[in-house]
Amino acid sequence: MTVKLIRQLGAGAGVALPEVRVIGEDPVLPSVFPLGTMAAASAGALAAAVAAYAARAGQGGVEGPGGGPHTHGDLGAPDVTIDVRHAAVAFQSERHFRADGKAMDVWAALSGDYRASDGWIRLHCNFDHHRDAAVRALGLPPGSGRQDVGRACAGRRAVEIEEAVIREGGCAAAMRSRAEWLAHPQARALAGVPPVGVFRLPGGDGRASGTGRGGTGRGETRGGADSGENCRGDGRARAGQMFGGPGGGLPAGAERPLGGVRVLDLTRVIAGPVAARALAAYGADVLRVGAAHLPEVPGLVVETAFGKRSCHIDLRSEADKLRELVRQADVVIQAYRPGALRARGFGPDDLAVLRPGIVCVDISAYGTSGPWASRRGFDSLVQMACGIAHENGDGLRPSPLPAQALDHGTGYLAAFGAVAALLRRAAEGGSWRVEVSLARTAAWLDDLGRIDGAGVRQPRVEDLLATMDSPFGTLTYVTPPGAIDGRRPHWTSPPPRQGEHPAAWAPPS
């Protein structure tokens, strides 16, 4: 099943992937959902795409990917493997992370599930402004505690609380059954959306590719004859050139197959940072862009930062710094609510003008269309809304998955989509957009069926852990899953301190 899923992901993204050998099978984690299969398929698809990218670069020579379509037979098919247990444990990476032997506590005091008058509601209060919004929505004074919140929730309907918190700018989700979610307008809006959308942006030659910062940005196409200055008449890069200008890099070698690929990580908790971290494990140059005034979850920002550098840019006054980074980037990953960056002049169409050949990866909670397109959300909330927390237990109270599987699954699918778009760019030219969402990943998981895994014990993890010295002490972490010709992805640097580096790309090594 996992091999078939990887093939389907490749076909949906428009790329040919090498075969993947799958080691192990479900059940791996205690759940009725096949989380091991989900993890192995998403991480395995990334490994296969990286192998295809490396093979294409090898075919084109050290100077470029070449202009012709890649066939694996020219160099021999790469041996790509994914271990189901390893992939599943990687989906639990924050649970196994230690700094000087200490685990991290990622949940704020008011975050959690509360009984409502007709069911259950989950409040996400890890950021102070989300906590304050929830307290206001419940009519409580600032500083209210968990018992106060519990009493306020008990007298109101779950969906009523959900809507009130959302109106106040907070994050909440009522527990729905699978049937209730499938009947919801947002579920219907996602029904025709692929798990990983890979779309070509019009205007990849530097012309405006959309309606600008006030537009809808929905003008993507899956093909077309647009070509940039580095392209042949058929839209593919000339031999010896990576389409799109100075940011396009080439693999530094088999050990670091994405070496030279520059990735801007404009994301926070958790899917986006996982995507960028996964690309860093294969050698990409990842620069994480944060800002001093934006809230973070301290432990998570460390755990997801292996292999990255970190800078601060305040878009309210330093937007030109980000524009200069984009001009030399290959991939930009962002997970702000749909339209938020477009309003500041950094929508996919704007990025394609700044850097023809860019790959824009957009991660959202509920997708970019439908009534919930602009709704804030996190993994635990999407599990509640989509029926997963209902079905994973007895249906009487929420039972979350034994991993932030929607976050990690979406992160690996986003990373896969980024590499697939790089392959499409090398073959066809153009600028590209990749679109994934937690809710669409939840639907993908739902489509995988159910297994008899509720009573399974947690897998052993000791052989999947490693340690690294860092500014935060000695870190214990889960190594990244997958292998290409026996070589495993890995991180060569520890997590940096936030804003430790200048807002500039590292010079070539």
Side-chain angles (χ1 to χ4, degrees):
M1 181 180 184
T2 302
V3 171
K4 180 180 178 181
L5 290 171
I6 293 171
R7 289 192 192 122
Q8 290 173 344
L9 289 170
V15 295
L17 300 178
E19 287 294 308
V20 178
R21 287 194 299 116
V22 179
I23 302 167
E25 61 182 2
D26 266 321
V28 179
L29 297 178
S31 175
V32 299
F33 292 92
L35 299 179
T37 299
M38 175 198 194
S42 53
L46 171 60
V50 170
Y53 182 85
R56 180 181 177 89
Q59 180 196 32
V62 296
E63 294 299 319
H70 171 65
T71 58
H72 296 299
D74 294 336
L75 297 174
D79 177 27
V80 183
T81 60
I82 189 71
D83 183 278
V84 176
R85 177 176 64 94
H86 195 167
V89 170
F91 270 36
Q92 298 179 310
S93 64
E94 62 275 1
R95 302 186 181 206
H96 302 294
F97 178 74
R98 301 288 186 273
D100 286 336
K102 297 179 181 178
M104 60 179 172
D105 183 6
V106 301
W107 296 110
L110 296 189
S111 291
D113 302 327
Y114 296 88
R115 189 182 291 277
S117 64
D118 62 343
W120 290 86
I121 181 75
R122 183 169 183 85
L123 305 178
H124 199 289
C125 302
N126 281 10
F127 295 153
D128 289 351
H129 62 293
H130 290 164
R131 175 202 63 203
D132 296 342
V135 169
R136 286 195 306 271
L138 292 169
L140 297 173
S144 295
R146 192 172 181 89
Q147 289 186 342
D148 302 315
V149 171
R151 284 192 292 267
C153 288
R156 299 172 65 175
R157 294 172 54 248
V159 171
E160 176 194 346
I161 299 170
E162 174 187 88
E163 294 300 328
V165 172
I166 297 299
R167 283 195 301 271
E168 289 291 338
C171 300
M175 185 174 77
R176 291 170 172 83
S177 68
R178 179 177 184 269
E180 288 171 330
W181 174 247
L182 293 177
H184 193 278
Q186 189 59 35
R188 293 198 296 268
L190 292 170
V193 176
V196 184
V198 180
F199 313 102
R200 183 168 176 168
L201 289 163
D205 57 358
R207 296 190 301 270
S209 58
T211 55
R213 40 176 98 182
T216 63
R218 299 295 297 171
E220 300 91 346
T221 63
R222 288 189 180 274
D226 291 343
S227 60
E229 61 183 358
N230 291 336
C231 281
R232 309 185 319 189
D234 60 2
R236 292 196 296 267
R238 293 191 189 101
Q241 291 178 315
M242 176 66 81
F243 177 83
L250 291 169
E255 289 289 343
R256 310 301 285 161
L258 294 185
V261 174
R262 287 174 169 172
V263 179
L264 276 178
D265 175 10
L266 309 182
T267 70
R268 292 182 287 166
V269 194
I270 291 175
V274 165
R277 184 182 67 179
L279 295 174
Y282 285 104
D285 179 4
V286 178
L287 179 60
R288 200 259 182 170
V289 180
H293 67 281
L294 293 178
E296 302 277 7
V297 180
L300 287 177
V301 77
V302 175
E303 196 270 333
T304 56
F306 283 92
K308 304 178 186 180
R309 292 182 305 118
S310 172
C311 72
H312 278 168
I313 295 178
D314 188 339
L315 287 182
R316 298 171 300 183
S317 59
E318 300 175 315
D320 283 344
K321 288 186 178 181
L322 183 58
R323 291 189 182 95
E324 187 57 34
L325 290 173
V326 170
R327 289 188 180 101
Q328 302 177 66
D330 294 292
V331 177
V332 176
I333 305 175
Q334 73 88 19
Y336 291 90
R337 284 188 298 159
L341 284 184
R342 181 182 299 281
R344 294 186 176 273
F346 291 97
D349 43 5
D350 303 302
L351 299 183
V353 172
L354 283 171
R355 197 298 200 203
I358 197 71
V359 172
C360 308
V361 181
D362 291 344
I363 302 172
S364 61
Y366 294 102
T368 57
S369 62
W372 284 14
S374 62
R375 180 167 292 207
R376 296 175 175 89
F378 296 90
D379 180 303
S380 60
L381 300 181
V382 178
Q383 287 191 43
M384 289 285 279
C386 293
I388 291 175
H390 179 271
E391 189 175 352
N392 197 56
D394 57 12
L396 300 178
R397 61 182 303 127
S399 180
L401 298 174
Q404 298 284 105
L406 303 184
D407 267 329
H408 286 267
T410 303
Y412 274 98
L413 291 176
F416 158 73
V419 180
L422 290 174
L423 286 165
R424 297 284 298 270
R425 181 183 79 174
E428 305 171 40
S431 301
W432 295 82
R433 180 179 183 180
V434 176
E435 187 176 304
V436 295
S437 71
L438 301 182
R440 185 58 186 89
T441 300
W444 185 55
L445 175 61
D446 180 63
D447 289 342
L448 301 186
R450 307 294 182 267
I451 59 174
D452 183 15
V456 171
R457 299 178 65 179
Q458 291 284 349
R460 60 186 176 87
V461 302
E462 292 77 15
D463 59 323
L464 306 177
L465 303 178
T467 60
M468 185 182 294
D469 291 333
S470 80
F472 310 96
T474 300
L475 305 182
T476 302
Y477 63 95
V478 178
T479 57
I484 303 171
D485 292 329
R487 297 180 178 91
R488 298 190 177 278
H490 59 280
W491 298 296
T492 59
S493 61
R497 296 189 184 280
Q498 293 182 61
E500 176 180 328
H501 300 98
W505 293 107
S509 56

mmCIF file of all heavy atoms in Angstrom, residues 185-227:
data_model
loop_
_atom_site.group_PDB
_atom_site.id
_atom_site.type_symbol
_atom_site.label_atom_id
_atom_site.label_comp_id
_atom_site.label_asym_id
_atom_site.label_seq_id
_atom_site.Cartn_x
_atom_site.Cartn_y
_atom_site.Cartn_z
ATOM 1 N N PRO A 185 -19.447 22.369 4.931
ATOM 2 C CA PRO A 185 -19.037 23.043 3.692
ATOM 3 C C PRO A 185 -17.533 23.063 3.464
ATOM 4 O O PRO A 185 -17.078 23.005 2.320
ATOM 5 C CB PRO A 185 -19.590 24.464 3.864
ATOM 6 C CG PRO A 185 -20.723 24.326 4.821
ATOM 7 C CD PRO A 185 -20.348 23.212 5.746
ATOM 8 N N GLN A 186 -16.733 23.121 4.541
ATOM 9 C CA GLN A 186 -15.293 23.147 4.341
ATOM 10 C C GLN A 186 -14.780 21.795 3.849
ATOM 11 O O GLN A 186 -13.869 21.744 3.012
ATOM 12 C CB GLN A 186 -14.569 23.555 5.632
ATOM 13 C CG GLN A 186 -13.085 23.813 5.436
ATOM 14 C CD GLN A 186 -12.814 24.917 4.429
ATOM 15 O OE1 GLN A 186 -13.577 25.886 4.339
ATOM 16 N NE2 GLN A 186 -11.742 24.788 3.671
ATOM 17 N N ALA A 187 -15.338 20.713 4.358
ATOM 18 C CA ALA A 187 -14.952 19.390 3.859
ATOM 19 C C ALA A 187 -15.309 19.258 2.388
ATOM 20 O O ALA A 187 -14.539 18.704 1.589
ATOM 21 C CB ALA A 187 -15.631 18.295 4.681
ATOM 22 N N ARG A 188 -16.448 19.767 1.999
ATOM 23 C CA ARG A 188 -16.850 19.702 0.592
ATOM 24 C C ARG A 188 -15.928 20.559 -0.284
ATOM 25 O O ARG A 188 -15.628 20.192 -1.427
ATOM 26 C CB ARG A 188 -18.307 20.140 0.438
ATOM 27 C CG ARG A 188 -19.305 19.170 1.076
ATOM 28 C CD ARG A 188 -20.714 19.387 0.547
ATOM 29 N NE ARG A 188 -21.236 20.708 0.893
ATOM 30 C CZ ARG A 188 -21.937 20.966 1.980
ATOM 31 N NH1 ARG A 188 -22.189 20.003 2.872
ATOM 32 N NH2 ARG A 188 -22.384 22.194 2.218
ATOM 33 N N ALA A 189 -15.456 21.676 0.257
ATOM 34 C CA ALA A 189 -14.538 22.527 -0.504
ATOM 35 C C ALA A 189 -13.214 21.837 -0.770
ATOM 36 O O ALA A 189 -12.538 22.121 -1.767
ATOM 37 C CB ALA A 189 -14.309 23.841 0.242
ATOM 38 N N LEU A 190 -12.831 20.925 0.114
ATOM 39 C CA LEU A 190 -11.558 20.215 -0.032
ATOM 40 C C LEU A 190 -11.677 18.943 -0.855
ATOM 41 O O LEU A 190 -10.658 18.337 -1.197
ATOM 42 C CB LEU A 190 -11.002 19.857 1.351
ATOM 43 C CG LEU A 190 -10.548 21.012 2.240
ATOM 44 C CD1 LEU A 190 -10.261 20.511 3.646
ATOM 45 C CD2 LEU A 190 -9.310 21.682 1.654
ATOM 46 N N ALA A 191 -12.889 18.544 -1.174
ATOM 47 C CA ALA A 191 -13.102 17.227 -1.780
ATOM 48 C C ALA A 191 -12.346 17.047 -3.089
ATOM 49 O O ALA A 191 -11.858 15.953 -3.395
ATOM 50 C CB ALA A 191 -14.597 16.993 -1.996
ATOM 51 N N GLY A 192 -12.230 18.086 -3.901
ATOM 52 C CA GLY A 192 -11.555 17.951 -5.183
ATOM 53 C C GLY A 192 -10.112 18.418 -5.184
ATOM 54 O O GLY A 192 -9.495 18.520 -6.247
ATOM 55 N N VAL A 193 -9.563 18.681 -4.000
ATOM 56 C CA VAL A 193 -8.203 19.196 -3.882
ATOM 57 C C VAL A 193 -7.239 18.037 -3.659
ATOM 58 O O VAL A 193 -7.491 17.180 -2.813
ATOM 59 C CB VAL A 193 -8.118 20.201 -2.705
ATOM 60 C CG1 VAL A 193 -6.695 20.678 -2.496
ATOM 61 C CG2 VAL A 193 -9.049 21.376 -2.953
ATOM 62 N N PRO A 194 -6.103 17.971 -4.379
ATOM 63 C CA PRO A 194 -5.146 16.879 -4.152
ATOM 64 C C PRO A 194 -4.413 17.061 -2.830
ATOM 65 O O PRO A 194 -4.315 18.181 -2.311
ATOM 66 C CB PRO A 194 -4.192 17.007 -5.338
ATOM 67 C CG PRO A 194 -4.247 18.454 -5.710
ATOM 68 C CD PRO A 194 -5.665 18.886 -5.449
ATOM 69 N N PRO A 195 -3.862 15.989 -2.272
ATOM 70 C CA PRO A 195 -3.078 16.123 -1.035
ATOM 71 C C PRO A 195 -1.906 17.086 -1.190
ATOM 72 O O PRO A 195 -1.569 17.812 -0.259
ATOM 73 C CB PRO A 195 -2.599 14.693 -0.755
ATOM 74 C CG PRO A 195 -3.544 13.813 -1.490
ATOM 75 C CD PRO A 195 -3.978 14.567 -2.696
ATOM 76 N N VAL A 196 -1.293 17.063 -2.363
ATOM 77 C CA VAL A 196 -0.191 17.982 -2.675
ATOM 78 C C VAL A 196 -0.509 18.628 -4.019
ATOM 79 O O VAL A 196 -0.464 17.962 -5.052
ATOM 80 C CB VAL A 196 1.166 17.260 -2.749
ATOM 81 C CG1 VAL A 196 2.294 18.278 -2.978
ATOM 82 C CG2 VAL A 196 1.427 16.462 -1.485
ATOM 83 N N GLY A 197 -0.848 19.899 -3.998
ATOM 84 C CA GLY A 197 -1.101 20.610 -5.241
ATOM 85 C C GLY A 197 0.178 21.232 -5.757
ATOM 86 O O GLY A 197 0.869 21.945 -5.026
ATOM 87 N N VAL A 198 0.538 20.945 -6.998
ATOM 88 C CA VAL A 198 1.725 21.531 -7.631
ATOM 89 C C VAL A 198 1.253 22.235 -8.890
ATOM 90 O O VAL A 198 0.790 21.581 -9.829
ATOM 91 C CB VAL A 198 2.786 20.463 -7.969
ATOM 92 C CG1 VAL A 198 4.007 21.106 -8.628
ATOM 93 C CG2 VAL A 198 3.211 19.719 -6.708
ATOM 94 N N PHE A 199 1.337 23.562 -8.893
ATOM 95 C CA PHE A 199 0.776 24.369 -9.971
ATOM 96 C C PHE A 199 1.845 25.297 -10.532
ATOM 97 O O PHE A 199 2.630 25.873 -9.779
ATOM 98 C CB PHE A 199 -0.388 25.231 -9.463
ATOM 99 C CG PHE A 199 -1.383 24.483 -8.628
ATOM 100 C CD1 PHE A 199 -1.380 24.606 -7.248
ATOM 101 C CD2 PHE A 199 -2.323 23.657 -9.216
ATOM 102 C CE1 PHE A 199 -2.299 23.927 -6.461
ATOM 103 C CE2 PHE A 199 -3.248 22.976 -8.446
ATOM 104 C CZ PHE A 199 -3.236 23.102 -7.067
ATOM 105 N N ARG A 200 1.822 25.459 -11.834
ATOM 106 C CA ARG A 200 2.715 26.430 -12.446
ATOM 107 C C ARG A 200 2.091 27.815 -12.363
ATOM 108 O O ARG A 200 0.908 27.994 -12.659
ATOM 109 C CB ARG A 200 2.993 26.064 -13.901
ATOM 110 C CG ARG A 200 3.984 27.019 -14.564
ATOM 111 C CD ARG A 200 4.471 26.494 -15.883
ATOM 112 N NE ARG A 200 5.331 27.474 -16.532
ATOM 113 C CZ ARG A 200 6.081 27.210 -17.580
ATOM 114 N NH1 ARG A 200 6.060 26.001 -18.115
ATOM 115 N NH2 ARG A 200 6.832 28.146 -18.120
ATOM 116 N N LEU A 201 2.896 28.800 -11.952
ATOM 117 C CA LEU A 201 2.438 30.170 -11.867
ATOM 118 C C LEU A 201 2.604 30.853 -13.220
ATOM 119 O O LEU A 201 3.676 30.784 -13.822
ATOM 120 C CB LEU A 201 3.244 30.942 -10.816
ATOM 121 C CG LEU A 201 2.973 30.579 -9.358
ATOM 122 C CD1 LEU A 201 4.107 31.099 -8.478
ATOM 123 C CD2 LEU A 201 1.650 31.170 -8.896
ATOM 124 N N PRO A 202 1.576 31.516 -13.719
ATOM 125 C CA PRO A 202 1.762 32.310 -14.931
ATOM 126 C C PRO A 202 2.788 33.417 -14.706
ATOM 127 O O PRO A 202 3.039 33.829 -13.579
ATOM 128 C CB PRO A 202 0.383 32.901 -15.185
ATOM 129 C CG PRO A 202 -0.564 32.068 -14.386
ATOM 130 C CD PRO A 202 0.211 31.587 -13.204
ATOM 131 N N GLY A 203 3.393 33.876 -15.788
ATOM 132 C CA GLY A 203 4.319 34.998 -15.677
ATOM 133 C C GLY A 203 5.648 34.646 -15.090
ATOM 134 O O GLY A 203 6.293 35.471 -14.464
ATOM 135 N N GLY A 204 6.113 33.396 -15.282
ATOM 136 C CA GLY A 204 7.388 32.982 -14.711
ATOM 137 C C GLY A 204 8.590 33.639 -15.337
ATOM 138 O O GLY A 204 9.714 33.452 -14.879
ATOM 139 N N ASP A 205 8.387 34.436 -16.395
ATOM 140 C CA ASP A 205 9.510 35.127 -17.014
ATOM 141 C C ASP A 205 9.767 36.486 -16.390
ATOM 142 O O ASP A 205 10.560 37.263 -16.887
ATOM 143 C CB ASP A 205 9.252 35.289 -18.515
ATOM 144 C CG ASP A 205 7.956 36.040 -18.799
ATOM 145 O OD1 ASP A 205 7.263 36.393 -17.822
ATOM 146 O OD2 ASP A 205 7.650 36.261 -19.979
ATOM 147 N N GLY A 206 9.066 36.791 -15.292
ATOM 148 C CA GLY A 206 9.262 38.062 -14.612
ATOM 149 C C GLY A 206 8.091 39.003 -14.771
ATOM 150 O O GLY A 206 8.044 40.032 -14.126
ATOM 151 N N ARG A 207 7.134 38.665 -15.661
ATOM 152 C CA ARG A 207 5.931 39.487 -15.752
ATOM 153 C C ARG A 207 5.051 39.214 -14.536
ATOM 154 O O ARG A 207 5.116 38.159 -13.927
ATOM 155 C CB ARG A 207 5.144 39.140 -17.025
ATOM 156 C CG ARG A 207 5.892 39.461 -18.307
ATOM 157 C CD ARG A 207 4.980 39.319 -19.517
ATOM 158 N NE ARG A 207 4.435 37.990 -19.646
ATOM 159 C CZ ARG A 207 5.005 37.007 -20.322
ATOM 160 N NH1 ARG A 207 6.178 37.212 -20.899
ATOM 161 N NH2 ARG A 207 4.427 35.828 -20.416
ATOM 162 N N ALA A 208 4.196 40.162 -14.220
ATOM 163 C CA ALA A 208 3.272 39.971 -13.098
ATOM 164 C C ALA A 208 2.446 38.729 -13.360
ATOM 165 O O ALA A 208 1.919 38.529 -14.436
ATOM 166 C CB ALA A 208 2.369 41.187 -12.941
ATOM 167 N N SER A 209 2.350 37.863 -12.358
ATOM 168 C CA SER A 209 1.708 36.574 -12.571
ATOM 169 C C SER A 209 0.364 36.464 -11.904
ATOM 170 O O SER A 209 -0.207 35.398 -11.816
ATOM 171 C CB SER A 209 2.620 35.456 -12.045
ATOM 172 O OG SER A 209 2.894 35.658 -10.678
ATOM 173 N N GLY A 210 -0.160 37.577 -11.394
ATOM 174 C CA GLY A 210 -1.462 37.524 -10.751
ATOM 175 C C GLY A 210 -2.027 38.924 -10.700
ATOM 176 O O GLY A 210 -1.684 39.789 -11.499
ATOM 177 N N THR A 211 -2.866 39.156 -9.749
ATOM 178 C CA THR A 211 -3.509 40.459 -9.639
ATOM 179 C C THR A 211 -2.853 41.337 -8.591
ATOM 180 O O THR A 211 -3.381 42.348 -8.198
ATOM 181 C CB THR A 211 -4.990 40.264 -9.300
ATOM 182 O OG1 THR A 211 -5.091 39.461 -8.129
ATOM 183 C CG2 THR A 211 -5.717 39.608 -10.431
ATOM 184 N N GLY A 212 -1.687 40.928 -8.128
ATOM 185 C CA GLY A 212 -0.976 41.768 -7.167
ATOM 186 C C GLY A 212 -1.462 41.530 -5.762
ATOM 187 O O GLY A 212 -2.170 40.594 -5.463
ATOM 188 N N ARG A 213 -1.086 42.443 -4.890
ATOM 189 C CA ARG A 213 -1.349 42.187 -3.474
ATOM 190 C C ARG A 213 -2.819 42.248 -3.129
ATOM 191 O O ARG A 213 -3.233 41.724 -2.119
ATOM 192 C CB ARG A 213 -0.539 43.108 -2.581
ATOM 193 C CG ARG A 213 -0.385 44.544 -3.009
ATOM 194 C CD ARG A 213 0.371 45.343 -1.969
ATOM 195 N NE ARG A 213 1.782 45.490 -2.302
ATOM 196 C CZ ARG A 213 2.633 46.125 -1.507
ATOM 197 N NH1 ARG A 213 2.244 46.643 -0.383
ATOM 198 N NH2 ARG A 213 3.896 46.242 -1.828
ATOM 199 N N GLY A 214 -3.634 42.801 -3.986
ATOM 200 C CA GLY A 214 -5.054 42.826 -3.689
ATOM 201 C C GLY A 214 -5.826 41.728 -4.374
ATOM 202 O O GLY A 214 -7.030 41.630 -4.205
ATOM 203 N N GLY A 215 -5.157 40.865 -5.166
ATOM 204 C CA GLY A 215 -5.867 39.893 -5.985
ATOM 205 C C GLY A 215 -6.103 38.584 -5.297
ATOM 206 O O GLY A 215 -5.758 38.381 -4.138
ATOM 207 N N THR A 216 -6.677 37.680 -6.068
ATOM 208 C CA THR A 216 -7.007 36.377 -5.513
ATOM 209 C C THR A 216 -5.862 35.406 -5.618
ATOM 210 O O THR A 216 -5.771 34.460 -4.842
ATOM 211 C CB THR A 216 -8.213 35.780 -6.247
ATOM 212 O OG1 THR A 216 -7.855 35.575 -7.616
ATOM 213 C CG2 THR A 216 -9.409 36.701 -6.153
ATOM 214 N N GLY A 217 -4.988 35.592 -6.619
ATOM 215 C CA GLY A 217 -3.845 34.706 -6.749
ATOM 216 C C GLY A 217 -4.207 33.310 -7.144
ATOM 217 O O GLY A 217 -3.444 32.385 -6.940
ATOM 218 N N ARG A 218 -5.366 33.089 -7.743
ATOM 219 C CA ARG A 218 -5.795 31.737 -8.082
ATOM 220 C C ARG A 218 -5.604 31.447 -9.559
ATOM 221 O O ARG A 218 -6.285 30.629 -10.137
ATOM 222 C CB ARG A 218 -7.263 31.537 -7.709
ATOM 223 C CG ARG A 218 -7.539 31.717 -6.228
ATOM 224 C CD ARG A 218 -6.865 30.683 -5.390
ATOM 225 N NE ARG A 218 -7.352 29.359 -5.672
ATOM 226 C CZ ARG A 218 -6.804 28.260 -5.193
ATOM 227 N NH1 ARG A 218 -5.740 28.337 -4.427
ATOM 228 N NH2 ARG A 218 -7.304 27.075 -5.488
ATOM 229 N N GLY A 219 -4.641 32.160 -10.196
ATOM 230 C CA GLY A 219 -4.475 32.008 -11.624
ATOM 231 C C GLY A 219 -3.447 30.973 -12.017
ATOM 232 O O GLY A 219 -2.872 31.042 -13.094
ATOM 233 N N GLU A 220 -3.153 29.997 -11.142
ATOM 234 C CA GLU A 220 -2.139 29.019 -11.457
ATOM 235 C C GLU A 220 -2.610 28.084 -12.569
ATOM 236 O O GLU A 220 -3.786 27.842 -12.744
ATOM 237 C CB GLU A 220 -1.788 28.157 -10.227
ATOM 238 C CG GLU A 220 -1.247 28.940 -9.042
ATOM 239 C CD GLU A 220 -2.323 29.375 -8.091
ATOM 240 O OE1 GLU A 220 -3.510 29.318 -8.457
ATOM 241 O OE2 GLU A 220 -1.980 29.775 -6.970
ATOM 242 N N THR A 221 -1.640 27.559 -13.306
ATOM 243 C CA THR A 221 -1.930 26.544 -14.316
ATOM 244 C C THR A 221 -0.971 25.391 -14.130
ATOM 245 O O THR A 221 0.069 25.515 -13.496
ATOM 246 C CB THR A 221 -1.766 27.110 -15.738
ATOM 247 O OG1 THR A 221 -0.399 27.501 -15.920
ATOM 248 C CG2 THR A 221 -2.659 28.313 -15.964
ATOM 249 N N ARG A 222 -1.308 24.269 -14.706
ATOM 250 C CA ARG A 222 -0.449 23.094 -14.607
ATOM 251 C C ARG A 222 0.535 22.993 -15.763
ATOM 252 O O ARG A 222 1.307 22.076 -15.838
ATOM 253 C CB ARG A 222 -1.301 21.819 -14.564
ATOM 254 C CG ARG A 222 -2.021 21.654 -13.235
ATOM 255 C CD ARG A 222 -2.668 20.289 -13.162
ATOM 256 N NE ARG A 222 -3.346 20.110 -11.908
ATOM 257 C CZ ARG A 222 -2.765 19.683 -10.793
ATOM 258 N NH1 ARG A 222 -1.484 19.424 -10.791
ATOM 259 N NH2 ARG A 222 -3.449 19.534 -9.688
ATOM 260 N N GLY A 223 0.494 23.908 -16.656
ATOM 261 C CA GLY A 223 1.423 23.848 -17.772
ATOM 262 C C GLY A 223 1.491 25.195 -18.426
ATOM 263 O O GLY A 223 1.386 26.211 -17.792
ATOM 264 N N GLY A 224 1.667 25.228 -19.750
ATOM 265 C CA GLY A 224 1.721 26.493 -20.445
ATOM 266 C C GLY A 224 3.050 26.700 -21.105
ATOM 267 O O GLY A 224 4.008 25.966 -20.855
ATOM 268 N N ALA A 225 3.116 27.699 -21.955
ATOM 269 C CA ALA A 225 4.316 27.929 -22.744
ATOM 270 C C ALA A 225 5.143 29.083 -22.230
ATOM 271 O O ALA A 225 6.060 29.522 -22.899
ATOM 272 C CB ALA A 225 3.919 28.191 -24.203
ATOM 273 N N ASP A 226 4.830 29.616 -21.039
ATOM 274 C CA ASP A 226 5.633 30.706 -20.498
ATOM 275 C C ASP A 226 7.070 30.249 -20.347
ATOM 276 O O ASP A 226 7.337 29.132 -19.917
ATOM 277 C CB ASP A 226 5.116 31.130 -19.109
ATOM 278 C CG ASP A 226 3.772 31.795 -19.202
ATOM 279 O OD1 ASP A 226 3.394 32.210 -20.304
ATOM 280 O OD2 ASP A 226 3.102 31.886 -18.143
ATOM 281 N N SER A 227 8.002 31.105 -20.687
ATOM 282 C CA SER A 227 9.404 30.736 -20.529
ATOM 283 C C SER A 227 10.186 31.942 -20.077
ATOM 284 O O SER A 227 9.899 33.076 -20.443
ATOM 285 C CB SER A 227 9.984 30.205 -21.851
ATOM 286 O OG SER A 227 9.896 31.181 -22.861
#
